[in-house]
Amino acid sequence: MAKGVILPSPHDAIRIVPLHRPEIADTISGAALPKLTYRGGPLLTNVEVFTIFWGAPWLRTDLANLRTEVEVFYNIILTSPLMTQLAEYSVAGKSIGPGKHIGSIGVTTPKLKASVSDTAIKHMLQSEISGTQAVPQPGPNTLYFVYLPPGVRVTQGGAASCQAFCGYHSDISSQIFYAVMPYPGCSGCTAGTPVLDALTSTSSHELCEAITDPIPGLGWYDDVNGEIGDICAWKTKKIGAYTVQLEWSNAAGKCL
Ligand SMILES: [Zn+2]
């Protein structure tokens, strides 16, 4: 239970991975079980993830290694049971199944400063889509995952990474679907785990939410509890070597 703790309300609770707060690790009460309902919007039925590592620090050996590990994570996780379990959220004409990791690039311009806004991230993404051959055009299943290096704060909706969130997903004009992963450089976003585990956990949270609710609030959503990953935030399991977050199952009535 929350022990009467009043949380600063995140401005965009539908999109974010909240900070880890041990005191609210078990907030699902039996009184009103969460239930996602479908709002008629698109779903990413066979998600095609394209990863973008923004910032020169990703060229550093340790971070280049981390980048490779994240890429391998996508190569494995997108055909893993994590995708299979989302099949319960298929609807008529939209059958959720395996995805694939369709590519990855590093971006060093524009140069990052200590803080980057969601607006600037959108601009970078749109200019990469229109100007860089290696970046795929957005399709109905395309999901761009933008990774930021250490020391760069992300601001979105009046809130900031490591202050209110550890990641989020969103859309541009209902046509370009993307997720943003600040580097987990604070205890609220590592939950005491190694950086790779923190990154795969928060990435899996946003991945599953982007698949089931790519335009936040117009896919599978619960008015009280938010999206599929929000209900189970920071509850994790292992798939192979990877730490992933549990996701809410309507069918099972619990986080799986
Ligand atoms: Zn979420």
Side-chain angles (χ1 to χ4, degrees), residues 33 186 235:
L33 220 50
C186 57
K235 297 177 177 179

Side-chain angles (χ1 to χ4, degrees), residues 38 40-41 43 45 89-96 220:
Y38 177 56
L43 305 173
T45 53
Y89 296 107
S90 297
V91 296
K94 297 186 178 79
S95 184
I96 298 176
W220 286 94

Side-chain angles (χ1 to χ4, degrees), residues 6-224:
I6 297 177
L7 300 172
S9 80
H11 295 245
D12 269 297
I14 57 171
R15 304 168 179 178
I16 63 158
V17 183
L19 265 58
H20 180 248
R21 297 173 195 278
E23 72 274 21
I24 56 155
D26 284 297
T27 48
I28 297 173
S29 74
L33 220 50
K35 190 167 177 62
L36 302 166
T37 58
Y38 177 56
R39 314 296 165 95
L43 305 173
L44 306 185
T45 53
N46 294 101
V47 68
E48 296 178 359
V49 171
F50 188 85
T51 40
I52 298 174
F53 292 81
W54 189 5
W58 290 108
L59 300 170
R60 230 168 59 195
T61 307
D62 59 329
L63 290 174
N65 289 340
L66 180 62
R67 169 182 164 173
T68 302
E69 301 220 58
V70 170
E71 290 166 348
V72 174
F73 162 73
Y74 281 111
N75 292 344
I76 288 167
I77 214 69
L78 292 168
T79 54
S80 78
L82 185 67
M83 298 294 99
T84 318
Q85 80 182 72
L86 300 180
E88 71 167 281
Y89 296 107
S90 297
V91 296
K94 297 186 178 79
S95 184
I96 298 176
K100 56 184 166 190
H101 183 216
I102 57 171
S104 188
I105 56 160
V107 170
T108 51
T109 52
K111 233 177 154 159
L112 283 164
K113 298 189 178 127
S115 183
V116 65
S117 67
D118 181 57
T119 306
I121 292 168
K122 284 190 171 95
H123 283 159
M124 179 280 292
L125 183 54
Q126 286 176 296
S127 98
E128 287 299 319
I129 289 169
S130 61
T132 303
Q133 189 100 46
V135 179
Q137 296 302 301
N141 278 314
T142 315
L143 176 61
Y144 304 93
F145 253 94
V146 178
Y147 286 82
L148 281 309
V152 175
R153 199 171 84 118
V154 177
T155 59
Q156 190 263 356
S161 57
C162 273
Q163 167 246 311
F165 62 81
C166 305
Y168 62 91
H169 77 97
S170 188
D171 67 283
I172 303 173
S173 308
S174 305
Q175 302 207 314
I176 299 174
F177 307 119
Y178 70 102
V180 176
M181 293 289 122
Y183 188 86
C186 57
S187 62
C189 292
T190 61
T193 62
V195 166
L196 178 64
D197 292 344
L199 262 188
T200 57
S201 172
T202 51
S203 296
S204 67
H205 175 130
E206 296 306 333
L207 173 66
C208 293
E209 291 187 342
I211 289 171
T212 55
D213 193 31
I215 303 172
L218 294 186
W220 286 94
Y221 193 72
D222 176 319
D223 286 323
V224 177

